[in-house]
Amino acid sequence: RTYEIGGKQTSTQVVADYEKYDQSGELDFVDGDRNDWSKILNSKEIYGKATKMLIMQKLHNKYRPAEHRACENMPYWFDEPVNDLLELVKKPESEMHKLITFHIRTMGDEHIGIAFNEDLTLNEDLAQSERDKRKPGENRINRVKAAALEFPDMVKKMVEVCTLLFEKTGKKTHVAVDSQVVRNYLRKHEKFIQVTDPDVLDFNKHYQEEPLYSLNDIADWYLLSLGREIVGFPSSSTYSYSAACRGASLLHYTSTLSELTSILDRLLEDNGVEKYSREADEKSNPSKAPHTPVVHDNILSTRATDASVPDLISSNSDSKCVYGYPSTNEENTCICNTDWTGERCEVDPIPSCDRETFLSCGDVLYRFAHSQEHPGLKETVFPSCQCADECVSHLLNAYGDAMYKRTFSTDYKRFDPSLHLCTKNNKVKRTLFMEMDYEKRISKREEMGEVSDNAAQEESRKLMTKLVDSKEQKATNCSPDCERFGGGCVDYECVLCKEGRFGMDCAMSKKDLDSARLTAPKRKGKKELSLSYLDLPGTIRRFIRGQSYQNHGSFRGVHYFEHSLRKDAEIFDPNPPTSETSDEERKDIVAVIPFFPSDTVGNVGMAQIYASRVEKYVNDKFMGDVSFPTIWFNAQDRGFCTSQKSRDALPSSAIGITQYGQWRAHPNDETPCFRSEIDIVVPSSVSRRGGYYGAQDPEFKRFDEKTKDGFLLFFAGSERSRPECLGEEFFKNLENNCMYSYGGGARGWIVDWFKDEERFWLNRKLTRSMEKGDAEHQAEAIRMRSKFCLSSGGNGFDQRFIDGISRGCVPVLTQLNTSHPFEILLNYESFTIRAPGEMMRDLPEVLEDTVSSGKYAKMLLNLRVVREAIAWNVTNGREENDEYDTFTVNNGAYYHTLAAIALRAKKKLPESVAEKLCKLYFENEYHENAWKDVLNEEFRRVLEPSCEKQSR
């Protein structure tokens, strides 16, 4: 409301008149999604001076749309501090490190309800008197009282850690705190700790004289958001949650001293605080390292802040490969990780590069800088010229001139190479990395002299900032398999597999590898599917390090498939093709290309340059003859449609495996980015474990029609409507515009068209309450009781499809010209409602008819089977069942993907795959006709003979 009236009323006045505005219907932004939030939260015109930001922050926490709770696409009102706020944060930001920030959420300001004495013990008398005055705050008070006994020690532990961090970085730790007494206590340690909040002597008055308090509070929030890790205690808070969203920070909450100690000890270890030596750091200057490759034993100075690496090397001293892994194809060959060479991947070809800052030559030359702030750096740094020169030499040796030129060609370059800068003897120079002749490059660099102009440096620095990822995890986070199978993680990649482990992430044992060597030829002899791996060197597979994943956090369906395959001796073929493989032998080959664009550039980034290098490598390896089927992955939101040319460049026999199946990204595209006759759509992973496991519903009541007594149709999420895709205009513009927009235009159209339909729950307003919980939990409860769930796609694939099925909510599909997960195998008419285009007008009648005809009850039973078909790796590598593992077949999505590949590659089903699928469809204890109802006719004819053979 403040925004809409141009600030004519203060936020205080608006809040005071809230009920009047709410009931008048004029307060149009509180309905969750059809609102002005994008304008409000990005408005520098009205909120530029930040004098009203505190209340806007509170309103944002209260009324933000449900999907924003996942920190995805969270809009904020500034990209960087502006005006008064900029002046307020400039000095404290320059004085703080960004490893860890703290939020002490006591709910303990004297004027709110809980007070502390100067020694941080609880002032129980004041707490009791305030509770009597403020009865609604009882739960808040009791919660803080429960933590009060350990609270003084928790604060002292934090002070101890801040001291250690100051010794490491020379900078302060920022602490946001809501208690004035605690703030005063921390100011005694101002050498190590930064506290910015002003003293507030009159709580009731400060909102009337708001600017100073609000501005400081939002500055405190902004500085809190800069921490790579935010630690909150003794209570959780939307304040630190939204700060973590803004900064893409990792958030840790704790209410006990033991938990806090454990979290902080781990964070200190991750940042090498205990073994950090400033003197040693000054001696280890990467820019003065020798311009010759050095072997592994001499490079540990670049890992001085990671205490785990020396221990890892010591414990795995018998490993065949250091910075790489033993190939499953040739056991005595090491496949080196990014920018490592040598027979054992022990040689560092770029010793002058600080890998903690730049990670790889791709980061140095192409992406230009790593986003993880190095302790003590005030600004993004330029690489040393010696480092840049070593990278040029290394990449030319690794790729050859042709691929080097291709990598940095005008088709793909992200910035003008002439703007790339490096440092030599504390002077800034032009890198000139496009000059491949070393002597000429050095000569030209000297002729051009120093780049002393600050404006030129700043222009280059801005480009560096734009080229970094904002959500990268720590470089010590790899695939979950790596440490499980005896390796360790350095710079996002698995290293030092123990003796007897092979392949990426050390995933295959010697026993399994020997078994695969025996069984693969037998499968080929029977024309059954066998999948071999193509070893990709690190410089091809991960030219830049990009994003990482830990504990399946960023895993997509394609990751689950590939990780299951790499340790499946019954499918894996350790005899990959070569350029000398005969034409007859090639007929039996299907090869997997283990490259994931989303690991490099994220789920929406342009991966064309990285994919094209892999495509060229594969083509060159087989001298242009890739006539056998190859498997290519893409887990980005829009799959291969994210970059049209990446699908066009694949070999003609390639099979694309993706999570998004729209055939074209734009009506004018000449060729499809998803080829429905050969490519495969697999399901993404479920967003909440409860959906797969059924731990909260072990009897599967969510698939019983009796429990579906709620709304007819449910949808909660973004709409991003366009005017030309609403009302009757939608149908006029459908095929040439709307179907290619967000959600195919259907989300916005349905929410708008049926806004008065009482049987539909479409982005309705929810208010947090003590009884019902927050809006997200309320929406989840509503979905569990709803009959149908809208699944119209989003920016690409729609997570609601997977989550809805897992919760017993029949999907309503509205996409045109789109293939869906396992559509090659499953009968979609048996468990989904298709209502594209004009059919959307009749949704209420179509859904009611489905229920009244009895078809809906059958759909629910079928949906329980499909829930197993789309579930990935639910036991996390375990074979035994427990209370979470309520499946007829574990890892059903893996076996369905193998079946789909077999159909596409025209191979027979391997016995291990047929056995699992026969059990699910022909021996199903809760659905005896699953084979007839859920499978499509084509695949049923393929599977049935195998099941009859097994039953005999």
Side-chain angles (χ1 to χ4, degrees):
R1 179 66 182 177
T2 307
Y3 173 83
E4 289 165 348
I5 61 177
K8 292 178 182 176
Q9 277 187 296
T10 66
S11 297
T12 305
Q13 291 169 318
V14 170
V15 172
D17 293 337
Y18 168 75
E19 287 188 10
K20 180 180 74 175
Y21 292 128
D22 190 25
Q23 296 182 16
S24 71
E26 295 178 19
L27 197 63
D28 71 350
F29 61 78
V30 299
D31 62 358
D33 288 294
R34 299 185 300 281
N35 55 50
D36 298 321
W37 274 120
S38 293
K39 294 179 182 177
I40 292 173
L41 299 180
N42 287 287
S43 172
K44 293 183 181 180
E45 289 76 17
I46 293 197
Y47 296 100
K49 292 191 176 181
T51 57
K52 311 297 180 189
M53 285 185 183
L54 176 63
I55 287 185
M56 291 313 304
Q57 171 71 21
K58 292 182 182 236
L59 289 174
H60 175 239
N61 287 337
K62 187 172 184 181
Y63 294 116
R64 62 187 170 187
E67 72 274 12
H68 286 169
R69 292 185 179 278
C71 296
E72 294 179 359
N73 302 317
M74 178 78 81
Y76 284 98
W77 45 82
F78 55 80
D79 299 317
E80 56 189 27
V82 294
N83 302 331
D84 293 353
L85 182 62
L86 175 62
E87 294 304 313
L88 193 64
V89 302
K90 188 183 298 182
K91 185 172 185 291
E93 184 173 354
S94 68
E95 293 180 349
M96 64 180 280
H97 64 78
K98 297 171 185 177
L99 299 175
I100 305 171
T101 54
F102 289 90
H103 183 211
I104 302 179
R105 177 60 167 132
T106 65
M107 295 175 286
D109 196 293
E110 290 86 341
H111 309 286
I112 294 177
I114 296 289
F116 291 92
N117 299 313
E118 289 186 3
D119 62 356
L120 304 184
T121 57
L122 185 67
N123 187 325
E124 294 188 20
D125 292 339
L126 184 53
Q128 186 62 47
S129 66
E130 289 296 322
R131 183 168 63 177
D132 292 341
K133 293 178 188 176
R134 304 172 184 271
K135 291 188 177 178
E138 279 192 13
N139 185 55
R140 165 190 285 185
I141 290 170
N142 291 336
R143 191 166 44 175
V144 175
K145 285 182 72 175
L149 288 176
E150 291 189 322
F151 180 69
D153 290 331
M154 295 175 80
V155 175
K156 291 171 185 175
K157 178 65 179 179
M158 183 199 73
V159 172
E160 176 188 330
V161 168
C162 293
T163 305
L164 290 171
L165 289 169
F166 180 80
E167 292 175 358
K168 169 177 177 157
T169 66
K171 294 203 168 191
K172 298 181 181 181
T173 300
H174 184 76
V175 181
V177 58
D178 65 357
S179 167
Q180 189 168 307
V181 170
V182 178
R183 201 155 42 241
N184 291 338
Y185 178 88
L186 295 179
R187 286 196 176 114
K188 299 175 185 177
H189 306 278
E190 61 183 8
K191 179 179 179 181
F192 314 119
I193 294 175
Q194 176 173 276
V195 182
T196 63
D197 272 357
D199 293 334
V200 181
L201 300 178
D202 189 338
F203 174 76
N204 294 319
K205 186 179 178 183
H206 86 258
Y207 275 119
Q208 272 65 46
E209 299 177 358
E210 186 181 359
L212 177 63
Y213 186 87
S214 295
L215 190 59
N216 275 276
D217 204 343
I218 204 64
D220 210 23
W221 173 84
Y222 166 78
L223 294 167
L224 179 68
S225 77
L226 299 180
R228 282 214 311 264
E229 317 267 355
I230 298 177
V231 178
F233 69 93
S235 177
S236 60
S237 166
T238 55
Y239 186 87
S240 47
Y241 178 91
S242 61
C245 284
R246 183 202 172 274
S249 314
L250 293 178
L251 186 59
H252 313 270
Y253 284 131
T254 175
S255 59
T256 68
L257 177 62
S258 61
E259 287 179 354
L260 179 66
T261 301
S262 176
I263 290 170
L264 294 179
D265 286 350
R266 177 171 58 80
L267 294 181
L268 288 176
E269 183 178 353
D270 287 347
N271 288 286
V273 173
E274 294 175 336
K275 295 193 176 184
Y276 182 84
S277 164
R278 184 176 297 182
E279 180 182 351
D281 186 64
E282 290 170 352
K283 290 180 180 179
S284 175
N285 186 340
S287 65
K288 296 180 181 179
H291 187 72
T292 53
V294 293
V295 296
H296 167 73
D297 291 340
N298 296 327
I299 62 172
L300 292 184
S301 61
T302 62
R303 300 299 190 280
T305 59
D306 187 351
S308 64
V309 174
D311 295 338
L312 177 65
I313 293 169
S314 175
S315 63
N316 287 17
S317 58
D318 59 348
S319 177
K320 291 180 180 178
C321 310
V322 183
Y323 288 97
Y325 61 87
S327 171
T328 49
N329 303 323
E330 299 179 37
E331 294 182 26
N332 294 319
T333 298
C334 291
I335 307 302
C336 295
N337 289 342
T338 308
D339 301 333
W340 290 96
T341 61
E343 288 187 6
R344 299 183 61 226
C345 306
E346 81 284 17
V347 177
D348 182 4
I350 52 169
S352 299
C353 297
D354 179 1
R355 290 180 184 253
E356 287 192 358
T357 301
F358 297 105
L359 283 181
S360 76
C361 285
D363 294 296
V364 170
L365 299 181
Y366 186 78
R367 198 178 56 163
F368 208 4
H370 185 226
S371 61
Q372 238 177 316
E373 289 245 5
H374 196 60
L377 294 181
K378 295 182 180 179
E379 56 191 6
T380 308
V381 295
F382 301 121
S384 72
C385 294
Q386 192 169 359
C387 164
D389 290 335
E390 289 170 1
C391 277
V392 173
S393 299
H394 167 58
L395 294 180
L396 284 171
N397 288 333
Y399 301 155
D401 290 5
M403 185 170 284
Y404 185 89
K405 291 177 181 177
R406 181 182 181 87
T407 299
F408 301 108
S409 72
T410 55
D411 291 339
Y412 304 120
K413 68 184 181 185
R414 300 272 293 273
F415 58 94
D416 184 347
S418 67
L419 295 177
H420 195 290
L421 303 179
C422 59
T423 59
K424 180 180 180 182
N425 298 328
N426 296 320
K427 294 181 179 180
V428 179
K429 303 269 190 173
R430 301 282 180 192
T431 306
L432 306 177
F433 64 82
M434 288 305 293
E435 174 53 70
M436 291 181 283
D437 184 284
Y438 175 75
E439 298 297 335
K440 290 181 180 179
R441 183 167 64 254
I442 298 300
S443 177
K444 287 181 181 178
R445 186 182 294 154
E446 293 305 313
E447 288 176 13
M448 297 180 74
E450 181 181 1
V451 182
S452 56
D453 181 28
N454 288 334
Q457 290 189 27
E458 188 58 30
E459 182 180 6
S460 181
R461 223 180 284 281
K462 286 179 180 178
L463 288 169
M464 293 167 66
T465 303
K466 290 178 182 177
L467 295 176
V468 300
D469 296 322
S470 61
K471 293 185 178 180
E472 291 180 306
Q473 299 176 19
K474 293 185 183 62
T476 51
N477 293 350
C478 282
S479 153
D481 282 347
C482 180
E483 292 186 9
R484 184 188 305 156
F485 295 127
C489 186
V490 176
D491 297 340
Y492 298 94
E493 294 180 297
C494 197
V495 302
L496 290 162
C497 297
K498 287 190 174 180
E499 182 68 27
R501 304 299 307 192
F502 299 85
M504 291 174 63
D505 296 326
C506 319
M508 186 158 280
S509 68
K510 182 69 166 70
K511 178 181 178 181
D512 286 341
L513 186 56
D514 290 341
S515 173
R517 292 197 190 284
L518 291 174
T519 58
K522 296 178 182 178
R523 285 196 304 275
K524 289 179 179 179
K526 294 186 287 186
K527 304 301 179 184
E528 292 180 357
L529 179 70
S530 268
L531 295 178
S532 60
Y533 263 77
L534 225 57
D535 285 323
L536 297 179
T539 48
I540 294 292
R541 187 176 68 250
R542 288 189 93 157
F543 172 55
I544 66 171
R545 296 305 172 91
Q547 307 232 347
S548 66
Y549 40 76
Q550 181 190 34
N551 297 332
H552 303 314
S554 297
F555 264 35
R556 306 296 180 92
V558 295
H559 289 102
Y560 277 111
F561 171 75
E562 189 271 339
H563 275 248
S564 296
L565 173 64
R566 67 172 62 162
K567 46 185 179 271
D568 187 351
E570 295 181 300
I571 301 296
F572 179 70
D573 178 5
N575 304 294
T578 68
S579 59
E580 298 177 357
T581 302
S582 69
D583 291 343
E584 187 62 29
E585 291 174 313
R586 286 175 181 240
K587 293 179 182 178
D588 299 325
I589 288 170
V590 181
V592 172
I593 314 300
F595 169 71
F596 299 93
S598 57
D599 289 352
T600 303
V601 296
N603 63 325
V604 294
M606 296 299 289
Q608 184 175 339
I609 172 59
Y610 311 113
S612 72
R613 295 165 65 260
V614 180
E615 291 151 8
K616 186 177 186 304
Y617 175 83
V618 173
N619 190 64
D620 291 348
K621 184 176 181 67
F622 297 102
M623 304 175 70
D625 181 13
V626 192
S627 55
F628 51 89
T630 47
I631 307 296
W632 299 76
F633 301 109
N634 193 307
Q636 295 180 282
D637 279 4
R638 297 180 68 84
F640 289 103
C641 292
T642 307
S643 178
Q644 174 68 36
K645 293 181 180 179
S646 64
R647 184 61 182 91
D648 293 342
L650 297 183
S652 59
S653 58
I655 300 171
I657 296 187
T658 177
Q659 293 167 184
Y660 178 68
Q662 190 171 36
W663 303 343
R664 279 176 167 77
H666 189 274
N668 296 329
D669 288 345
E670 295 181 2
T671 57
C673 49
F674 180 88
R675 302 184 181 177
S676 57
E677 75 283 359
I678 186 66
D679 293 341
I680 299 168
V681 184
V682 299
S684 59
S685 51
V686 78
S687 9
R688 294 252 194 276
R689 298 185 89 179
Y692 273 172
Y693 287 68
Q696 298 175 0
D697 180 23
E699 297 178 4
F700 295 98
K701 292 181 180 179
R702 63 190 186 278
F703 295 99
D704 185 341
E705 186 180 14
K706 296 176 184 176
T707 66
K708 304 299 179 178
D709 56 355
F711 289 92
L712 188 61
L713 179 67
F714 173 89
F715 172 74
S718 292
E719 298 158 32
R720 303 189 193 180
S721 304
R722 299 177 181 177
E724 68 271 22
C725 296
L726 293 175
E728 293 298 331
E729 292 298 306
F730 172 81
F731 302 102
K732 297 177 185 177
N733 299 309
L734 178 58
E735 293 189 8
N736 291 319
N737 181 335
C738 299
M739 67 177 286
Y740 300 101
S741 66
Y742 186 83
R747 287 189 182 187
W749 187 90
I750 288 173
V751 172
D752 178 67
W753 190 266
F754 294 111
K755 57 180 174 290
D756 298 322
E757 173 55 71
E758 294 183 356
R759 292 169 292 180
F760 289 3
W761 195 98
L762 305 172
N763 276 338
R764 296 192 186 187
K765 174 186 172 182
L766 293 171
T767 304
R768 179 183 175 86
S769 70
M770 293 298 295
E771 180 183 353
K772 296 180 180 180
D774 61 26
E776 183 180 15
H777 287 93
Q778 292 180 56
E780 179 68 12
I782 294 168
R783 174 165 64 170
M784 290 290 283
R785 293 172 56 194
S786 298
K787 294 177 174 64
F788 299 91
C789 287
L790 180 62
S791 177
S792 59
N795 187 50
F797 69 88
D798 195 342
Q799 189 63 42
R800 289 163 186 78
F801 177 78
I802 307 300
D803 291 348
I805 290 174
S806 298
R807 288 155 178 78
C809 195
V810 173
V812 174
L813 308 178
T814 60
Q815 300 96 322
L816 289 168
N817 298 341
T818 300
S819 300
H820 297 284
F822 299 146
E823 199 162 4
I824 186 178
L825 309 174
L826 306 177
N827 173 18
Y828 263 62
E829 305 307 315
S830 72
F831 64 91
T832 69
I833 297 293
R834 295 184 192 262
E838 291 281 353
M839 294 176 65
M840 293 194 305
R841 297 180 188 271
D842 303 322
L843 263 178
E845 292 75 19
V846 169
L847 300 183
E848 286 286 12
D849 289 347
T850 302
V851 175
S852 61
S853 67
K855 184 179 179 182
Y856 172 70
K858 294 179 180 178
M859 281 184 158
L860 280 179
L861 182 58
N862 295 337
L863 213 60
R864 182 173 170 185
V865 180
V866 176
R867 167 246 182 197
E868 298 207 47
I870 63 173
W872 292 104
N873 200 26
V874 291
T875 55
N876 200 22
R878 291 174 286 112
E879 292 302 325
E880 70 277 7
N881 287 337
D882 58 25
E883 67 273 19
Y884 294 106
D885 304 325
T886 51
F887 288 84
T888 306
V889 172
N890 261 336
N891 209 5
Y894 171 64
Y895 295 105
H896 282 77
T897 304
L898 291 172
I901 294 173
L903 290 185
R904 294 303 199 202
K906 296 179 172 54
K907 304 295 181 185
K908 293 182 179 179
L909 291 180
E911 290 182 6
S912 61
V913 176
E915 178 186 353
K916 300 289 186 181
L917 299 185
C918 290
K919 184 177 181 181
L920 179 61
Y921 293 107
F922 286 84
E923 304 167 25
N924 193 302
E925 294 183 357
Y926 59 83
H927 191 343
E928 63 179 0
N929 291 319
W931 60 277
K932 182 167 60 176
D933 293 346
V934 180
L935 295 179
N936 70 28
E937 188 174 349
E938 178 188 358
F939 183 57
R940 188 166 69 233
R941 289 198 301 266
V942 171
L943 180 61
E944 195 165 8
S946 297
C947 299
E948 291 176 350
K949 181 179 178 181
Q950 289 183 16
S951 65
R952 291 197 298 267

